[in-house]
Amino acid sequence: MEKINYAGTREASSAKPVAQSFAKGLNFYKLFWIFFIGSFAGVFVETLYCLLTRHHFESRSGLIYGPFNLVYGFGALFITLGLYWLLNKSVLFIAAGGFVLGGLCEFVCSWVQEMLFGTVSWEYSGSPMSIQGRINLKYCIFWAILAVVWMKLLFPMLSNLIEKIPGKIGKPLTWILLVFMVFNSAISGMAVARMSARYHGIPPRNRVEVFLDRRYPDDFLKKIYPNMMFVSDKD
């Protein structure tokens, strides 16, 4: 910018334009970080809950590499996108929205897992308000509580912190983590698909499946997914 001095000549303005955050509002970068943090935070909370209620450590990860669970990542996305407009409203509205959106996310994730791999990682049949064993009243209430804590406390704080990350660091780091999560999700899905194939007696048909059998055998995967069961086993 330029300004005119009293002598009538032009000189450069010393004021520098304020750089806009790379993750302003709910753009792609902000949404990815919400997904990434939610995937990690959900595993932490569920692991702590298991320690307090069952008094032992148990893997709650949904991916092979790192403490990440896509259910919580998508849950954080659904709740943020669905309830952002209620951010300044009563906690009752947010809790009701979390009850519905969280339950819907959990139902869809369970259904997709069963359709893709013939497995499920949780089974709520016989509990109050269970729908196909995929969701129930207890965990929908948990989602309602999480929605209030997330929208009223965690999201505003995390959103502010994310926006303070310099763009020259935040943008490339986002893409690096995105590639990692895509790879992690893909290799985890392929490994579980081969586990399901082995369960049904299907031998490896190519070098990739041979590699998956050697690198990710059943004993290895059962440590990561201790609660995963084949649909045929629960019938």
Side-chain angles (χ1 to χ4, degrees), residues 209-224:
E209 292 185 349
V210 170
F211 166 78
L212 292 171
D213 285 351
R214 292 177 178 175
R215 182 67 182 83
Y216 308 107
D218 291 355
D219 290 343
F220 174 84
L221 294 176
K222 287 177 181 178
K223 293 179 181 179
I224 300 174

Side-chain angles (χ1 to χ4, degrees), residues 3-120:
K3 63 181 180 180
I4 300 176
N5 60 21
Y6 291 109
T9 60
R10 296 179 181 274
E11 61 182 15
S13 173
S14 60
K16 295 182 179 180
V18 178
Q20 186 176 18
S21 170
F22 79 104
K24 193 70 174 177
L26 287 181
N27 66 5
F28 165 79
Y29 294 100
K30 175 70 69 61
L31 292 175
F32 172 78
W33 279 95
I34 289 172
F35 169 80
F36 184 79
I37 294 171
S39 297
F40 170 80
V43 172
F44 174 79
V45 171
E46 192 170 352
T47 300
L48 181 61
Y49 176 77
C50 181
L51 284 171
L52 293 175
T53 58
R54 301 185 182 182
H55 310 294
H56 72 273
F57 173 82
E58 188 174 271
S59 172
R60 297 293 176 163
S61 296
L63 300 178
I64 288 176
Y65 297 109
F68 304 104
N69 192 312
L70 299 183
V71 174
Y72 290 107
F74 286 121
L77 273 183
F78 285 2
I79 288 174
T80 301
L81 290 172
L83 304 181
Y84 185 75
W85 62 286
L86 294 174
L87 189 60
N88 296 319
K89 301 295 183 179
S90 167
V91 296
L92 294 178
F93 289 102
I94 295 176
F99 184 96
V100 174
L101 292 177
L104 178 62
C105 177
E106 192 168 2
F107 183 95
V108 171
C109 287
S110 174
W111 181 83
V112 170
Q113 179 182 343
E114 182 175 339
M115 293 300 103
L116 290 178
F117 310 116
T119 64
V120 292

